[in-house]
């Protein structure tokens, strides 16, 4: 839900002259440092561990978003490629997930699970090399275009505002879960209120095709009965 704001910032402000590369490298350094702390620190408070996991997932989300934006632009420039790029990306993702599932279980069962973070650290840092070498194809902006692109914000005021509101709703949801950890009524009330607000705004402010796609994905998610969480307790029970 925070990806929208990430995309707005990267499009409106070229960090060190680049819209994508600098953000990926900087977030990767943060994520690598977070994995290093998780791997090397023997005693972590719950709060500090949560901050480190937030930093690690921030890198994953930002790199994923900006890479998606880049290959989406390439697909638009060469529509004859169809869905080949998306199939390739998700194929690599599924293969990596399968390898990780085969690897994580035995390591966690026979060794200290903290060892896994040592393996994650070079993986988090690996994207820095191809990005730094320019494989992303992110061109440096001209000096006169450095700084905030307020024209972009003025051109799409409703989309930018919607992204900001959605990010605040998501952060508020996390805060409600922490403050009212055992108060499920408050959690449900906030979640339903936020979902209703965003559903109305998405239909009012976003282009019709984009709004309908978002509504479809939202409805498909909330109407899907997922029992994975309940099964986790069955698999991990003594």
């Amino acid at each position: 839900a925070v990806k929208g704001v990430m995309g707005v910032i990267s499009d409106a402000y070229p960090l060190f002259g680049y819209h994508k590369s600098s953000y990926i490298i900087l977030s990767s350094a943060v994520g690598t440092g977070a994995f290093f702390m998780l791997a090397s620190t023997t005693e972590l408070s719950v709060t500090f561990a949560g901050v480190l996991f937030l930093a690690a997932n921030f890198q994953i989300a930002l790199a994923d978003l900006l890479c998606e934006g880049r290959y989406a632009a390439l697909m638009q420039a060469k529509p004859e490629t169809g869905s080949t790029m998306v199939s390739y990306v998700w194929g690599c993702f599924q293969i990596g997930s399968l390898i990780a599932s085969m690897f994580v279980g035995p390591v966690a069962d026979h060794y200290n699970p903290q060892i896994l973070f040592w393996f994650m650290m070079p993986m988090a840092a690996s994207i820095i090399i191809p990005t730094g070498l320019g494989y992303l194809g992110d061109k440096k902006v001209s000096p006169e275009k450095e700084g905030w692109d307020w024209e972009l914000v003025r051109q799409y005021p409703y989309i930018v505002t919607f992204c900001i509101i959605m990010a605040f709703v998501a952060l508020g949801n996390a805060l409600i879960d922490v403050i009212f950890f055992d108060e499920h009524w408050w959690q449900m009330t906030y979640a339903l209120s936020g979902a209703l607000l965003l559903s109305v705004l998405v239909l009012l402010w976003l282009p019709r095709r984009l709004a309908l796609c978002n509504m479809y994905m939202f409805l498909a998610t909330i109407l899907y009965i997922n029992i994975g969480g309940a099964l986790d307790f069955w698999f991990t029970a003594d």
Side-chain angles (χ1 to χ4, degrees), residues 27-35 49-61:
S27 65
S28 298
V30 172
T32 303
F35 281 125
V51 171
L52 293 177
F53 277 113
L54 175 64
N57 281 278
F58 172 76
Q59 181 221 341
I60 296 171

Side-chain angles (χ1 to χ4, degrees), residues 80-222:
E80 68 276 6
T81 60
S83 59
T84 304
M85 178 63 74
V86 178
S87 300
Y88 172 75
V89 170
W90 279 98
C92 292
F93 176 81
Q94 295 298 332
I95 293 173
S97 299
L98 177 62
I99 295 174
S101 300
M102 297 171 60
F103 179 74
V104 169
V107 172
D109 287 341
H110 297 90
Y111 304 98
N112 186 347
Q114 199 173 13
I115 296 175
L116 295 170
F117 296 121
W118 288 111
F119 291 95
M120 296 176 188
M121 190 171 63
M123 293 181 184
S126 62
I127 195 173
I128 296 176
I129 298 175
T131 304
L133 292 175
Y135 288 5
L136 193 63
D138 186 25
K139 303 296 183 182
K140 189 173 183 178
V141 301
S142 56
E144 61 271 13
K145 291 186 177 181
E146 293 183 354
W148 285 98
D149 185 2
W150 295 111
E151 182 60 32
L152 178 67
V153 178
R154 287 190 291 267
Q155 186 177 358
Y156 304 102
Y158 291 120
I159 295 178
V160 172
T161 305
F162 177 79
C163 291
I164 295 173
I165 293 175
M166 182 169 61
F168 274 104
V169 170
L171 295 175
N173 187 60
L175 189 61
I176 289 292
D177 288 344
V178 172
I179 297 176
F180 300 101
F181 184 75
D182 294 321
E183 302 291 336
H184 302 302
W185 172 256
W186 284 107
Q187 296 175 14
M188 183 185 69
T189 302
Y190 182 89
L192 291 176
S193 301
L196 179 61
L197 172 65
L198 293 176
S199 297
V200 172
L201 293 180
V202 76
L203 293 173
L204 291 177
W205 287 354
L206 268 60
R208 180 170 178 79
R209 180 176 296 181
L210 184 59
L212 293 177
C213 288
N214 276 272
M215 286 301 300
Y216 169 78
M217 295 175 65
F218 172 67
L219 293 174
T221 301
I222 64 173

